[in-house]
Amino acid sequence: MSERLYYADSFLRTFSAKVADVREASRAEGVSIWQIALDRSAFYPSSGGQPYDTGVLTANSRSGAVLEALVEAVEEDEHGTVWHYTRKPLAAGTEVQGMIDWQRRLDHIQQHSGQHLLSAVFARELNASTVSFHLGDTISHIDLAIGSIAHHSLERVETLANELIAEDRAVTVRTVDRAEAEALLAMGHLRKLPERAGTIRLVEIADYDLNACGGTHVRSTGQIGGLLLRGMEKTSRGFRVSFACGLRAVAAAREDLTTLSRASTFLSIGNVDVPAAIERMKAEAKAAEKERQKLRDELAGYHAARLAVEVQPRDGLRFVRRTFTDRDSEYVRLLASKLASSAPRTIALLASAENWPARVVLARSRDLDFHCGNLLRDTLAARGLRGGGSADLAQTDLAKDQLEAVSAELEQSIRERISAGASEAQPSSGLSQSLPR
Ligand SMILES: [Zn+2]
């Protein structure tokens, strides 16, 4: 067991200790990672949602040289030993000076203490207990066991938390035996008690919250610096509320303002006018899109009429085969269907080659009786390709080297089918005479 100096003082940055044990944790590509245990340490190992500290261990070698081992991670094992991960081994018995990365620790203290406060406010105001906590790289969150939270409740919780920060209430730590902790829990004074034997470390926010915790905390709520709620999302078990404290809250607010200011600069308006401007722009875009669709539809109608004039029927069939490099697939589909519905005995085999593969659309007028989808599917299947659709309209995507050959084959097989149908029908019905030629 290593003596944990942060239990007594969360603000201890440097300390002296002796190497108790050393072992090789891993070796990859010739680089070893060492685990060093000290008789006492101020380094916090990952636990309770709070990440480990980083820092440095310094030792004087026998020759007088100063040896520095960077502490890259800190973990505790099941026996309560704290292991410091370094790339340099330090022999057992070596006297070392430890220094923790204070900026990182202070940030963790602020987020973690802020979590105590936030969980306490949620418990008191909304009767919502915290089931888990995660301290992330930029944002932290708690998971609450609650069915729903109204937006105004969230704002009230944030205000209350910040009022408690401004009141600068003392945050104190004391150790009690389990029986006393259980009594406090039974009386409703203690918020939560972990399932473990031995003494219990209690953290108290004066006249507001009492909770069991082994983490590092502020001396008074003022040191949390401020708390900003960042979002809320429904989870399977309840609600996840994300937040940032202290300098992180300032950084998050600064980032928000920068984003908002960029948006308002683009629009040449003030920050407060951005939501109304976006709403207006969305309405305008919707109207413009409606107008665009209408114009595209009209354009496709005129385009279809022009193609029907350009391509005259041959053997009683108008076969329009075109590839467009400046029209999208949606327009080509619209054009094919307009063409097939406006002119008799007409087949449209149109391709949009704006991008590759090209979208190919096959459509026929209703006075022709073959199934576009089946015909396209069968033709493509023979080449190991896929495509299909309804009786009137079918489509597929074709690569550059397939487009010409497949289109030619489709045209040929359609012409053959229609002329065969016409010669069969002619002797018995005479229907062909009524068909426009
Ligand atoms: Zn804590």
Side-chain angles (χ1 to χ4, degrees):
M1 281 272 272
S2 323
E3 185 191 347
R4 305 190 185 204
L5 301 171
Y6 59 83
Y7 277 164
D9 185 1
S10 293
F11 283 72
L12 184 66
R13 307 177 196 195
T14 58
F15 63 99
S16 55
K18 197 182 275 184
V19 175
D21 200 357
V22 60
R23 62 192 191 192
E24 194 176 22
S26 65
R27 188 186 300 191
E29 292 167 6
V31 180
S32 293
I33 301 291
W34 301 89
Q35 283 178 295
I36 294 169
L38 305 173
D39 59 345
R40 56 209 293 270
S41 180
F43 280 89
Y44 187 81
S46 299
S47 71
Q50 182 177 336
Y52 56 78
D53 287 325
T54 56
V56 63
L57 296 176
T58 311
N60 292 307
S61 72
R62 282 197 201 100
S63 62
V66 176
L67 192 73
E68 277 194 346
L70 291 178
V71 177
E72 297 176 26
V74 186
E75 304 293 342
E76 63 182 331
D77 66 18
E78 65 275 24
H79 309 296
T81 302
V82 176
W83 294 99
H84 306 72
Y85 288 71
T86 74
R87 285 168 200 264
K88 287 178 188 165
L90 292 169
T94 307
E95 300 277 354
V96 296
Q97 290 291 316
M99 186 167 74
I100 63 174
D101 177 340
W102 184 245
Q103 215 180 344
R104 180 177 164 92
R105 162 64 77 80
L106 181 63
D107 172 56
H108 290 171
I109 286 178
Q110 286 184 318
Q111 311 313 314
H112 176 71
S113 303
Q115 180 258 312
H116 274 256
L117 189 63
L118 188 60
S119 291
V121 178
F122 270 117
R124 279 182 171 235
E125 297 299 317
L126 300 177
N127 203 21
S129 60
T130 297
V131 288
S132 70
F133 163 56
H134 172 75
L135 202 167
D137 286 337
T138 56
I139 213 88
S140 304
H141 66 246
I142 52 173
D143 287 326
L144 295 166
I146 189 170
S148 67
I149 308 177
H151 193 77
H152 63 86
S153 300
L154 214 58
E155 283 182 10
R156 190 161 56 91
V157 165
E158 187 183 61
T159 303
L160 278 169
N162 282 294
E163 281 170 3
L164 290 159
I165 290 170
E167 286 166 12
D168 200 22
R169 293 181 184 228
V171 177
T172 50
V173 173
R174 68 176 193 271
T175 306
V176 299
D177 58 32
R178 179 137 196 118
E180 190 180 337
E182 277 170 1
L184 285 165
L185 186 71
M187 285 186 283
H189 296 320
L190 182 61
R191 187 149 53 84
K192 216 155 103 182
L193 182 62
E195 296 281 332
R196 72 183 169 78
T199 56
I200 304 291
R201 190 168 180 261
L202 299 181
V203 181
E204 180 163 25
I205 298 171
D207 301 324
Y208 199 79
D209 185 50
L210 183 65
N211 200 22
C213 184
T216 58
H217 306 93
V218 291
R219 289 173 179 144
S220 61
T221 55
Q223 289 180 325
I224 296 169
L227 188 150
L228 196 59
L229 293 184
R230 301 294 294 161
M232 172 176 75
E233 58 176 307
K234 182 109 184 73
T235 63
S236 57
R237 291 191 300 172
F239 268 90
R240 175 164 291 180
V241 174
S242 52
F243 66 97
C245 295
L247 290 176
R248 287 192 187 195
V250 176
R254 166 61 51 202
E255 208 177 291
D256 289 351
L257 186 63
T258 304
T259 307
L260 182 60
S261 299
R262 281 184 64 194
S264 62
T265 303
F266 278 136
L267 300 169
S268 304
I269 53 171
N271 285 358
V272 291
D273 299 323
V274 168
I278 290 173
E279 213 170 339
R280 198 172 59 242
M281 282 162 61
K282 276 182 79 175
E284 283 168 7
K286 200 174 162 187
E289 176 58 21
K290 213 171 154 187
E291 179 68 12
R292 192 185 75 95
Q293 287 294 353
K294 196 176 138 234
L295 291 173
R296 259 166 87 90
D297 196 74
E298 280 177 25
L299 177 65
Y302 287 122
H303 198 168
R306 198 183 78 205
L307 285 172
V309 173
E310 272 176 25
V311 181
Q312 286 301 309
R314 179 155 63 88
D315 303 328
L317 184 70
R318 178 185 285 105
F319 202 109
V320 184
R321 191 170 131 199
R322 288 275 199 283
T323 296
F324 300 96
T325 54
D326 58 350
R327 298 288 180 189
D328 62 40
S329 54
E330 192 201 337
Y331 178 82
V332 164
R333 186 190 153 96
L334 185 63
L335 180 60
S337 104
K338 291 259 181 211
L339 191 55
S341 62
S342 60
R345 291 190 68 79
T346 296
I347 285 163
L349 181 58
L350 310 181
S352 160
E354 210 179 23
N355 302 299
W356 294 97
R359 170 57 56 90
V360 177
V361 182
L362 173 66
R364 63 151 174 79
S365 50
R366 286 183 178 269
D367 51 8
L368 296 171
D369 68 344
F370 70 93
H371 195 288
C372 286
N374 294 349
L375 184 108
L376 185 65
R377 194 189 58 223
D378 296 345
T379 308
L380 293 171
R383 292 169 177 264
L385 300 169
R386 291 162 69 95
S390 67
D392 300 339
L393 190 142
Q395 50 193 347
T396 185
D397 290 330
L398 291 174
K400 209 168 192 169
D401 58 348
Q402 295 162 340
L403 181 62
E404 188 52 37
V406 173
S407 300
E409 192 182 327
L410 279 168
E411 178 169 356
Q412 197 191 348
S413 75
I414 291 167
R415 282 192 184 281
E416 280 170 10
R417 183 175 294 225
I418 287 182
S419 59
S423 56
E424 271 169 30
Q426 228 163 8
S428 58
S429 71
L431 230 177
S432 62
Q433 282 160 11
S434 66
L435 295 171
R437 295 233 166 209

mmCIF file of all heavy atoms in Angstrom, residues 230-263:
data_model
loop_
_atom_site.group_PDB
_atom_site.id
_atom_site.type_symbol
_atom_site.label_atom_id
_atom_site.label_comp_id
_atom_site.label_asym_id
_atom_site.label_seq_id
_atom_site.Cartn_x
_atom_site.Cartn_y
_atom_site.Cartn_z
ATOM 1 N N ARG A 230 -23.484 22.293 -20.572
ATOM 2 C CA ARG A 230 -23.200 22.318 -22.009
ATOM 3 C C ARG A 230 -24.193 21.546 -22.845
ATOM 4 O O ARG A 230 -24.207 21.654 -24.060
ATOM 5 C CB ARG A 230 -21.789 21.768 -22.262
ATOM 6 C CG ARG A 230 -20.687 22.533 -21.562
ATOM 7 C CD ARG A 230 -20.564 23.934 -22.102
ATOM 8 N NE ARG A 230 -20.130 23.949 -23.488
ATOM 9 C CZ ARG A 230 -20.276 24.979 -24.300
ATOM 10 N NH1 ARG A 230 -20.873 26.059 -23.890
ATOM 11 N NH2 ARG A 230 -19.832 24.920 -25.537
ATOM 12 N N GLY A 231 -25.001 20.705 -22.211
ATOM 13 C CA GLY A 231 -25.971 19.952 -23.015
ATOM 14 C C GLY A 231 -26.635 18.875 -22.206
ATOM 15 O O GLY A 231 -26.247 18.575 -21.077
ATOM 16 N N MET A 232 -27.673 18.321 -22.807
ATOM 17 C CA MET A 232 -28.440 17.281 -22.130
ATOM 18 C C MET A 232 -28.907 16.302 -23.196
ATOM 19 O O MET A 232 -29.320 16.711 -24.270
ATOM 20 C CB MET A 232 -29.635 17.948 -21.456
ATOM 21 C CG MET A 232 -30.632 16.986 -20.876
ATOM 22 S SD MET A 232 -31.951 17.871 -20.008
ATOM 23 C CE MET A 232 -32.915 18.517 -21.361
ATOM 24 N N GLU A 233 -28.787 15.022 -22.908
ATOM 25 C CA GLU A 233 -29.322 14.043 -23.859
ATOM 26 C C GLU A 233 -29.938 12.874 -23.121
ATOM 27 O O GLU A 233 -29.495 12.509 -22.034
ATOM 28 C CB GLU A 233 -28.235 13.558 -24.842
ATOM 29 C CG GLU A 233 -27.043 12.929 -24.176
ATOM 30 C CD GLU A 233 -26.034 12.386 -25.179
ATOM 31 O OE1 GLU A 233 -26.424 11.615 -26.064
ATOM 32 O OE2 GLU A 233 -24.849 12.742 -25.050
ATOM 33 N N LYS A 234 -30.967 12.298 -23.735
ATOM 34 C CA LYS A 234 -31.665 11.173 -23.127
ATOM 35 C C LYS A 234 -30.800 9.935 -23.316
ATOM 36 O O LYS A 234 -30.207 9.729 -24.352
ATOM 37 C CB LYS A 234 -33.018 11.018 -23.840
ATOM 38 C CG LYS A 234 -33.887 9.925 -23.297
ATOM 39 C CD LYS A 234 -35.105 10.482 -22.540
ATOM 40 C CE LYS A 234 -35.918 9.368 -21.905
ATOM 41 N NZ LYS A 234 -35.269 8.760 -20.732
ATOM 42 N N THR A 235 -30.707 9.130 -22.281
ATOM 43 C CA THR A 235 -30.004 7.857 -22.401
ATOM 44 C C THR A 235 -30.979 6.744 -22.007
ATOM 45 O O THR A 235 -32.098 7.028 -21.580
ATOM 46 C CB THR A 235 -28.774 7.803 -21.464
ATOM 47 O OG1 THR A 235 -29.246 7.897 -20.110
ATOM 48 C CG2 THR A 235 -27.799 8.929 -21.729
ATOM 49 N N SER A 236 -30.523 5.500 -22.133
ATOM 50 C CA SER A 236 -31.425 4.383 -21.821
ATOM 51 C C SER A 236 -31.817 4.382 -20.339
ATOM 52 O O SER A 236 -32.898 3.958 -19.974
ATOM 53 C CB SER A 236 -30.763 3.067 -22.201
ATOM 54 O OG SER A 236 -29.536 2.937 -21.529
ATOM 55 N N ARG A 237 -30.908 4.904 -19.479
ATOM 56 C CA ARG A 237 -31.179 4.849 -18.044
ATOM 57 C C ARG A 237 -31.710 6.153 -17.463
ATOM 58 O O ARG A 237 -32.088 6.209 -16.301
ATOM 59 C CB ARG A 237 -29.909 4.450 -17.290
ATOM 60 C CG ARG A 237 -29.488 3.009 -17.547
ATOM 61 C CD ARG A 237 -28.411 2.602 -16.581
ATOM 62 N NE ARG A 237 -27.221 3.450 -16.718
ATOM 63 C CZ ARG A 237 -26.187 3.399 -15.892
ATOM 64 N NH1 ARG A 237 -26.201 2.585 -14.863
ATOM 65 N NH2 ARG A 237 -25.138 4.184 -16.090
ATOM 66 N N GLY A 238 -31.646 7.236 -18.228
ATOM 67 C CA GLY A 238 -32.081 8.516 -17.693
ATOM 68 C C GLY A 238 -31.604 9.655 -18.558
ATOM 69 O O GLY A 238 -31.836 9.665 -19.763
ATOM 70 N N PHE A 239 -30.898 10.611 -17.941
ATOM 71 C CA PHE A 239 -30.403 11.762 -18.679
ATOM 72 C C PHE A 239 -28.909 11.973 -18.452
ATOM 73 O O PHE A 239 -28.422 11.782 -17.347
ATOM 74 C CB PHE A 239 -31.145 13.038 -18.260
ATOM 75 C CG PHE A 239 -32.339 13.300 -19.121
ATOM 76 C CD1 PHE A 239 -33.584 12.786 -18.787
ATOM 77 C CD2 PHE A 239 -32.203 14.028 -20.300
ATOM 78 C CE1 PHE A 239 -34.683 13.006 -19.593
ATOM 79 C CE2 PHE A 239 -33.297 14.253 -21.112
ATOM 80 C CZ PHE A 239 -34.539 13.732 -20.764
ATOM 81 N N ARG A 240 -28.226 12.353 -19.530
ATOM 82 C CA ARG A 240 -26.810 12.686 -19.432
ATOM 83 C C ARG A 240 -26.693 14.203 -19.537
ATOM 84 O O ARG A 240 -27.169 14.806 -20.501
ATOM 85 C CB ARG A 240 -26.040 12.008 -20.563
ATOM 86 C CG ARG A 240 -24.568 12.392 -20.607
ATOM 87 C CD ARG A 240 -23.787 11.437 -21.451
ATOM 88 N NE ARG A 240 -23.708 10.125 -20.804
ATOM 89 C CZ ARG A 240 -23.071 9.077 -21.316
ATOM 90 N NH1 ARG A 240 -22.458 9.182 -22.477
ATOM 91 N NH2 ARG A 240 -23.033 7.928 -20.672
ATOM 92 N N VAL A 241 -26.075 14.799 -18.538
ATOM 93 C CA VAL A 241 -25.892 16.253 -18.537
ATOM 94 C C VAL A 241 -24.396 16.537 -18.619
ATOM 95 O O VAL A 241 -23.617 16.060 -17.796
ATOM 96 C CB VAL A 241 -26.497 16.878 -17.251
ATOM 97 C CG1 VAL A 241 -26.180 18.358 -17.180
ATOM 98 C CG2 VAL A 241 -28.007 16.654 -17.208
ATOM 99 N N SER A 242 -23.997 17.295 -19.644
ATOM 100 C CA SER A 242 -22.578 17.623 -19.782
ATOM 101 C C SER A 242 -22.329 19.031 -19.261
ATOM 102 O O SER A 242 -23.200 19.890 -19.302
ATOM 103 C CB SER A 242 -22.123 17.459 -21.231
ATOM 104 O OG SER A 242 -22.967 18.161 -22.080
ATOM 105 N N PHE A 243 -21.116 19.243 -18.752
ATOM 106 C CA PHE A 243 -20.798 20.516 -18.116
ATOM 107 C C PHE A 243 -19.305 20.799 -18.180
ATOM 108 O O PHE A 243 -18.504 19.907 -18.478
ATOM 109 C CB PHE A 243 -21.274 20.505 -16.646
ATOM 110 C CG PHE A 243 -20.518 19.514 -15.782
ATOM 111 C CD1 PHE A 243 -19.434 19.930 -14.998
ATOM 112 C CD2 PHE A 243 -20.870 18.176 -15.765
ATOM 113 C CE1 PHE A 243 -18.736 19.029 -14.217
ATOM 114 C CE2 PHE A 243 -20.161 17.260 -14.986
ATOM 115 C CZ PHE A 243 -19.098 17.688 -14.215
ATOM 116 N N ALA A 244 -18.942 22.038 -17.901
ATOM 117 C CA ALA A 244 -17.530 22.431 -17.817
ATOM 118 C C ALA A 244 -17.393 23.414 -16.671
ATOM 119 O O ALA A 244 -18.284 24.231 -16.442
ATOM 120 C CB ALA A 244 -17.078 23.064 -19.122
ATOM 121 N N CYS A 245 -16.265 23.319 -15.941
ATOM 122 C CA CYS A 245 -16.041 24.207 -14.800
ATOM 123 C C CYS A 245 -14.758 25.010 -14.983
ATOM 124 O O CYS A 245 -13.868 24.622 -15.740
ATOM 125 C CB CYS A 245 -15.915 23.404 -13.509
ATOM 126 S SG CYS A 245 -17.420 22.557 -13.053
ATOM 127 N N GLY A 246 -14.664 26.100 -14.231
ATOM 128 C CA GLY A 246 -13.435 26.881 -14.149
ATOM 129 C C GLY A 246 -12.974 27.400 -15.492
ATOM 130 O O GLY A 246 -13.764 27.924 -16.284
ATOM 131 N N LEU A 247 -11.672 27.211 -15.775
ATOM 132 C CA LEU A 247 -11.115 27.739 -17.016
ATOM 133 C C LEU A 247 -11.723 27.058 -18.239
ATOM 134 O O LEU A 247 -11.806 27.640 -19.304
ATOM 135 C CB LEU A 247 -9.586 27.581 -17.016
ATOM 136 C CG LEU A 247 -8.849 28.491 -16.028
ATOM 137 C CD1 LEU A 247 -7.362 28.201 -16.025
ATOM 138 C CD2 LEU A 247 -9.098 29.965 -16.339
ATOM 139 N N ARG A 248 -12.156 25.814 -18.066
ATOM 140 C CA ARG A 248 -12.818 25.131 -19.181
ATOM 141 C C ARG A 248 -14.136 25.818 -19.555
ATOM 142 O O ARG A 248 -14.502 25.866 -20.719
ATOM 143 C CB ARG A 248 -13.141 23.678 -18.816
ATOM 144 C CG ARG A 248 -11.961 22.767 -18.775
ATOM 145 C CD ARG A 248 -12.445 21.344 -18.709
ATOM 146 N NE ARG A 248 -11.353 20.420 -18.495
ATOM 147 C CZ ARG A 248 -11.449 19.113 -18.683
ATOM 148 N NH1 ARG A 248 -12.606 18.603 -19.070
ATOM 149 N NH2 ARG A 248 -10.426 18.328 -18.477
ATOM 150 N N ALA A 249 -14.844 26.300 -18.517
ATOM 151 C CA ALA A 249 -16.114 26.988 -18.776
ATOM 152 C C ALA A 249 -15.844 28.275 -19.547
ATOM 153 O O ALA A 249 -16.565 28.620 -20.484
ATOM 154 C CB ALA A 249 -16.829 27.280 -17.458
ATOM 155 N N VAL A 250 -14.765 28.968 -19.156
ATOM 156 C CA VAL A 250 -14.396 30.208 -19.845
ATOM 157 C C VAL A 250 -14.034 29.896 -21.305
ATOM 158 O O VAL A 250 -14.484 30.577 -22.228
ATOM 159 C CB VAL A 250 -13.209 30.901 -19.132
ATOM 160 C CG1 VAL A 250 -12.755 32.134 -19.911
ATOM 161 C CG2 VAL A 250 -13.595 31.278 -17.709
ATOM 162 N N ALA A 251 -13.244 28.829 -21.500
ATOM 163 C CA ALA A 251 -12.825 28.452 -22.858
ATOM 164 C C ALA A 251 -14.042 28.074 -23.715
ATOM 165 O O ALA A 251 -14.124 28.455 -24.890
ATOM 166 C CB ALA A 251 -11.840 27.287 -22.796
ATOM 167 N N ALA A 252 -14.997 27.356 -23.092
ATOM 168 C CA ALA A 252 -16.193 26.941 -23.841
ATOM 169 C C ALA A 252 -17.035 28.148 -24.231
ATOM 170 O O ALA A 252 -17.519 28.237 -25.357
ATOM 171 C CB ALA A 252 -17.016 25.969 -22.997
ATOM 172 N N ALA A 253 -17.174 29.102 -23.288
ATOM 173 C CA ALA A 253 -17.960 30.311 -23.575
ATOM 174 C C ALA A 253 -17.277 31.148 -24.653
ATOM 175 O O ALA A 253 -17.924 31.714 -25.537
ATOM 176 C CB ALA A 253 -18.139 31.130 -22.300
ATOM 177 N N ARG A 254 -15.938 31.209 -24.580
ATOM 178 C CA ARG A 254 -15.174 31.954 -25.583
ATOM 179 C C ARG A 254 -15.367 31.337 -26.970
ATOM 180 O O ARG A 254 -15.572 32.031 -27.970
ATOM 181 C CB ARG A 254 -13.685 31.954 -25.177
ATOM 182 C CG ARG A 254 -12.678 32.377 -26.223
ATOM 183 C CD ARG A 254 -12.844 33.770 -26.728
ATOM 184 N NE ARG A 254 -12.944 34.762 -25.655
ATOM 185 C CZ ARG A 254 -13.489 35.970 -25.791
ATOM 186 N NH1 ARG A 254 -13.984 36.333 -26.952
ATOM 187 N NH2 ARG A 254 -13.546 36.793 -24.774
ATOM 188 N N GLU A 255 -15.326 30.013 -27.031
ATOM 189 C CA GLU A 255 -15.491 29.305 -28.300
ATOM 190 C C GLU A 255 -16.892 29.555 -28.885
ATOM 191 O O GLU A 255 -17.044 29.792 -30.081
ATOM 192 C CB GLU A 255 -15.291 27.802 -28.064
ATOM 193 C CG GLU A 255 -14.784 27.054 -29.271
ATOM 194 C CD GLU A 255 -14.535 25.598 -28.927
ATOM 195 O OE1 GLU A 255 -13.587 25.335 -28.163
ATOM 196 O OE2 GLU A 255 -15.299 24.748 -29.403
ATOM 197 N N ASP A 256 -17.892 29.517 -28.004
ATOM 198 C CA ASP A 256 -19.270 29.780 -28.436
ATOM 199 C C ASP A 256 -19.382 31.182 -29.035
ATOM 200 O O ASP A 256 -19.999 31.372 -30.078
ATOM 201 C CB ASP A 256 -20.240 29.706 -27.243
ATOM 202 C CG ASP A 256 -20.425 28.284 -26.745
ATOM 203 O OD1 ASP A 256 -19.942 27.360 -27.418
ATOM 204 O OD2 ASP A 256 -21.060 28.114 -25.688
ATOM 205 N N LEU A 257 -18.766 32.149 -28.336
ATOM 206 C CA LEU A 257 -18.869 33.537 -28.788
ATOM 207 C C LEU A 257 -18.157 33.709 -30.130
ATOM 208 O O LEU A 257 -18.636 34.421 -31.011
ATOM 209 C CB LEU A 257 -18.270 34.482 -27.731
ATOM 210 C CG LEU A 257 -18.450 35.973 -28.034
ATOM 211 C CD1 LEU A 257 -19.930 36.340 -28.069
ATOM 212 C CD2 LEU A 257 -17.736 36.834 -26.995
ATOM 213 N N THR A 258 -17.004 33.051 -30.280
ATOM 214 C CA THR A 258 -16.267 33.137 -31.541
ATOM 215 C C THR A 258 -17.114 32.588 -32.685
ATOM 216 O O THR A 258 -17.212 33.196 -33.758
ATOM 217 C CB THR A 258 -14.938 32.338 -31.433
ATOM 218 O OG1 THR A 258 -14.217 32.852 -30.317
ATOM 219 C CG2 THR A 258 -14.095 32.480 -32.686
ATOM 220 N N THR A 259 -17.760 31.457 -32.448
ATOM 221 C CA THR A 259 -18.611 30.843 -33.471
ATOM 222 C C THR A 259 -19.776 31.762 -33.832
ATOM 223 O O THR A 259 -20.055 31.999 -35.008
ATOM 224 C CB THR A 259 -19.163 29.491 -32.950
ATOM 225 O OG1 THR A 259 -18.070 28.698 -32.512
ATOM 226 C CG2 THR A 259 -19.922 28.746 -34.025
ATOM 227 N N LEU A 260 -20.412 32.284 -32.786
ATOM 228 C CA LEU A 260 -21.561 33.166 -33.011
ATOM 229 C C LEU A 260 -21.133 34.437 -33.752
ATOM 230 O O LEU A 260 -21.821 34.898 -34.670
ATOM 231 C CB LEU A 260 -22.198 33.517 -31.661
ATOM 232 C CG LEU A 260 -23.451 34.384 -31.686
ATOM 233 C CD1 LEU A 260 -24.559 33.704 -32.475
ATOM 234 C CD2 LEU A 260 -23.931 34.654 -30.264
ATOM 235 N N SER A 261 -19.978 34.989 -33.362
ATOM 236 C CA SER A 261 -19.496 36.218 -33.993
ATOM 237 C C SER A 261 -19.153 35.986 -35.464
ATOM 238 O O SER A 261 -19.385 36.843 -36.305
ATOM 239 C CB SER A 261 -18.266 36.756 -33.259
ATOM 240 O OG SER A 261 -18.616 37.043 -31.927
ATOM 241 N N ARG A 262 -18.600 34.811 -35.763
ATOM 242 C CA ARG A 262 -18.297 34.492 -37.170
ATOM 243 C C ARG A 262 -19.590 34.438 -37.978
ATOM 244 O O ARG A 262 -19.665 34.954 -39.090
ATOM 245 C CB ARG A 262 -17.570 33.150 -37.271
ATOM 246 C CG ARG A 262 -16.089 33.260 -36.940
ATOM 247 C CD ARG A 262 -15.385 31.954 -37.138
ATOM 248 N NE ARG A 262 -15.397 31.521 -38.529
ATOM 249 C CZ ARG A 262 -15.078 30.286 -38.915
ATOM 250 N NH1 ARG A 262 -14.741 29.384 -38.030
ATOM 251 N NH2 ARG A 262 -15.095 29.973 -40.177
ATOM 252 N N ALA A 263 -20.603 33.825 -37.383
ATOM 253 C CA ALA A 263 -21.900 33.725 -38.071
ATOM 254 C C ALA A 263 -22.493 35.105 -38.302
ATOM 255 O O ALA A 263 -22.984 35.407 -39.390
ATOM 256 C CB ALA A 263 -22.856 32.869 -37.256
#
